[in-house]
Amino acid sequence: PGSIAQEEADGSLTILSAEACSIPGRICSAGTFTPLTTDTVVPPGFYLAADMVTLLPCPLGASCPGGVDQGQPTLCPPGQYQVTPGAPYCATCTAGTICTGFGGAFPELCPAGRVCSLPGRVGPTYTCPAGSFCPAGVLTLNTRSGIPGSPTVCTSGVYCMAGSTTGVVDNLCTHCARSCTEGTFCGANSTDAGGTDNCPPRWYCPRGVKVPQPSPPGHYVSESGQVFPSKCR
């Protein structure tokens, strides 16, 4: 012990160095060819470089808990991240974010149109509820929570299907707010093209109205669901 030797094919040992193993931080146990272990106690947040002596700060996206014989940093697992150089442990992704793979340095915002309500997730938890839209980073299904990161209720005159990402009206876009269908009206939080209801008699509803429009003087509406009033004769 304390010297370095090489085992030959016939089983004999060739002493490569008769000098004591004196490299700082290394141990030469009996029968070793190269010093592979170290008695250096690595502090939390650091790891040993290839020379097994130099201490390096833990890189982004990894954990370095410290201790004896600490080699390379351990990549953060999915659902966790590490954003601070020299931090000993990975952190859990918070609600409203996701951490999709190994070695994440920064959490990603929950994708638009989705809800990430649980911490430590690698993907979204829910689809944005119908009647509202979800930009990136939404963390609750509750549209009335009043906290940042809640879905936004779609305004009157439009409807929003599940998974909507924006309140900007685009009738050709599957994940945008859409104008209420002709002959119907849409209050806030409408979930489909039928809106709140059909226009009642004596009222008419062009596309995208918030409330039914009354028939003007000299006109009438005799049936529900009408888009325009008829002129009196």
Side-chain angles (χ1 to χ4, degrees):
S3 300
I4 301 175
Q6 176 177 318
E7 184 177 3
E8 304 297 343
D10 59 3
S12 63
L13 294 178
T14 299
I15 303 299
L16 300 181
S17 172
E19 298 179 3
C21 184
S22 59
I23 304 174
R26 294 193 178 188
I27 299 173
C28 296
S29 56
T32 55
F33 171 62
T34 57
L36 297 178
T37 57
T38 176
D39 58 356
T40 300
V41 178
V42 181
F46 291 85
Y47 70 100
L48 284 174
D51 62 7
M52 301 297 284
V53 176
T54 305
L55 291 175
L56 299 175
C58 199
L60 300 180
S63 64
C64 302
V68 178
D69 194 24
Q70 291 299 310
Q72 293 300 307
T74 301
L75 293 179
C76 294
Q80 298 184 4
Y81 71 101
Q82 203 276 87
V83 69
T84 306
Y89 303 108
C90 300
T92 299
C93 282
T94 59
T97 67
I98 56 175
C99 296
T100 56
F102 287 91
F106 299 92
E108 304 171 29
L109 287 178
C110 189
R114 299 292 185 267
V115 177
C116 301
S117 61
L118 300 175
R121 300 287 294 187
V122 298
T125 317
Y126 304 104
T127 299
C128 189
S132 61
F133 64 91
C134 297
V138 169
L139 53 79
T140 177
L141 286 169
N142 188 355
T143 58
R144 298 184 178 182
S145 66
I147 62 174
S150 301
T152 302
V153 173
C154 283
T155 59
S156 299
V158 302
Y159 68 95
C160 293
M161 296 185 294
S164 294
T165 62
T166 176
V168 176
V169 178
D170 185 344
N171 294 319
L172 300 178
C173 173
T174 58
H175 55 266
C176 303
R178 295 183 175 188
S179 300
C180 208
T181 304
E182 295 91 339
T184 67
F185 64 97
C186 290
N189 201 36
S190 292
T191 60
D192 56 45
T196 303
D197 203 350
N198 287 337
C199 251
R202 299 191 300 169
W203 305 77
Y204 69 100
C205 295
R207 184 167 191 173
V209 294
K210 302 176 181 179
V211 294
Q213 307 298 302
S215 298
H219 294 75
Y220 70 97
V221 176
S222 59
E223 299 178 354
S224 65
Q226 297 302 300
V227 182
F228 301 106
S230 299
K231 188 173 182 180
C232 292
R233 298 180 181 178

